[in-house]
Amino acid sequence: DGGITQSPKYLFRKEGQNVTLSCEQNLNHDAMYWYRQDPGQGLRLIYYSQIVNDFQKGDIAEGYSVSREKKESFPLTVTSAQKNPTAFYLCASSRTGPANTGELFFGEGSRLTVL
Amino acid sequence: DQQVKQNSPSLSVQEGRISILNCDYTNSMFDYFLWYKKYPAEGPTFLISISSIKDKNEDGRFTVFLNKSAKHLSLHIVPSQPGDSAVYFCAATLIQGAQKLVFGQGTRLTINP
């Protein structure tokens, strides 16, 4: 089955700790994204990558970091510099170029809670 | 600055009736719009989209209408079914295939039996 796998589904972190969320896709998509969902605010773009070894900041990149060493993988690190890290994090992927319809394919999400 | 707005946080509709979800946008450069449906603790799934060169797109029970002069789009679900109960997000992008979608805040739709 093709799809996007995020892990872990639930994660608890103490203040001051970094944590890395995993995102793997087997859809052969070039582009991958990280969104954050907070109540009443919809989905906000953290980082996105259109190709391996390249990524761009989204609207709320402060306190986050990413890497794109492989086409299938786009891990997100929530650093201690992120002031309000408790949220639901969504990874997505899409085609690029003429085949891209604008549609994003989302994973099931990771809920991070900072204690 | 919220470029895509869904002003109704929630909507309750009787089963079998029409559900109408609304979305407004401020950036006149947006020219491709999408609706996503999301169940709790799951990722959003794509529902339907519309290009700015059209004013209507239909897919089964779902129809999206676009009014460019009013910068307004709406999603109609007819007839509404209990399985339609979910949060609906509208999203906009500058060109079809562009990489950055801007999402609204979402509307929680509840279909009552």
Side-chain angles (χ1 to χ4, degrees):
Chain A
D1 268 16
I4 298 179
T5 303
Q6 289 187 240
S7 64
K9 199 170 178 77
Y10 299 95
L11 186 61
F12 297 88
R13 186 195 94 178
K14 292 182 180 179
E15 278 193 31
Q17 288 181 337
N18 291 357
V19 63
T20 297
L21 307 180
S22 169
C23 178
E24 304 279 330
Q25 56 101 357
N26 60 4
L27 298 168
N28 200 32
H29 287 168
D30 286 314
M32 297 187 74
Y33 314 77
W34 275 104
Y35 282 87
R36 167 180 172 145
Q37 184 189 8
D38 295 283
Q41 293 200 52
L43 281 66
R44 292 182 291 167
L45 182 64
I46 304 172
Y47 267 99
Y48 65 105
S49 167
Q50 299 187 57
I51 197 168
V52 174
N53 292 323
D54 185 53
F55 49 82
Q56 282 80 41
K57 292 182 178 179
D59 301 317
I60 54 165
E62 185 176 350
Y64 299 98
S65 66
V66 293
S67 63
R68 188 84 188 279
E69 297 175 3
K70 297 187 299 182
K71 184 176 184 178
E72 305 78 24
S73 180
F74 192 41
L76 174 74
T77 296
V78 185
T79 74
S80 56
Q82 168 50 233
K83 295 179 181 176
N84 297 297
T86 294
F88 189 57
Y89 290 88
L90 286 159
C91 179
S93 70
S94 74
R95 301 178 184 95
T96 57
N100 191 355
T101 60
E103 179 184 349
L104 300 184
F105 296 79
F106 283 89
E108 294 198 339
S110 295
R111 182 165 295 282
L112 172 64
T113 302
V114 174
L115 305 172
Chain B
D1 177 29
Q2 191 79 27
Q3 296 188 69
V4 178
K5 298 180 184 180
Q6 293 175 258
N7 292 317
S8 297
S10 63
L11 177 67
S12 187
V13 174
Q14 205 74 20
E15 182 179 358
R17 300 286 186 111
I18 183 171
S19 296
I20 300 176
L21 296 97
N22 293 304
C23 180
D24 297 295
Y25 60 96
T26 57
N27 189 342
S28 58
M29 298 299 290
F30 286 144
D31 65 356
Y32 195 68
F33 304 89
L34 307 92
W35 283 94
Y36 282 82
K37 175 180 179 179
K38 184 182 180 302
Y39 292 116
E42 292 184 11
T45 54
F46 171 76
L47 198 55
I48 193 170
S49 62
I50 188 167
S51 165
S52 61
I53 62 174
K54 296 184 176 181
D55 54 17
K56 176 182 174 182
N57 188 26
E58 213 169 336
D59 184 2
R61 295 186 298 114
F62 302 92
T63 303
V64 56
F65 295 93
L66 175 63
N67 183 333
K68 284 191 69 178
S69 60
K71 297 193 186 70
H72 177 84
L73 65 155
S74 61
L75 174 68
H76 293 211
I77 306 173
V78 183
S80 300
Q81 298 174 354
D84 296 329
S85 295
V87 176
Y88 290 78
F89 291 97
C90 68
T93 189
L94 290 174
I95 56 171
Q96 184 175 342
Q99 305 306 306
K100 293 178 67 175
L101 294 186
V102 180
F103 285 84
Q105 308 97 308
T107 296
R108 181 177 302 278
L109 176 65
T110 303
I111 306 302
N112 302 307

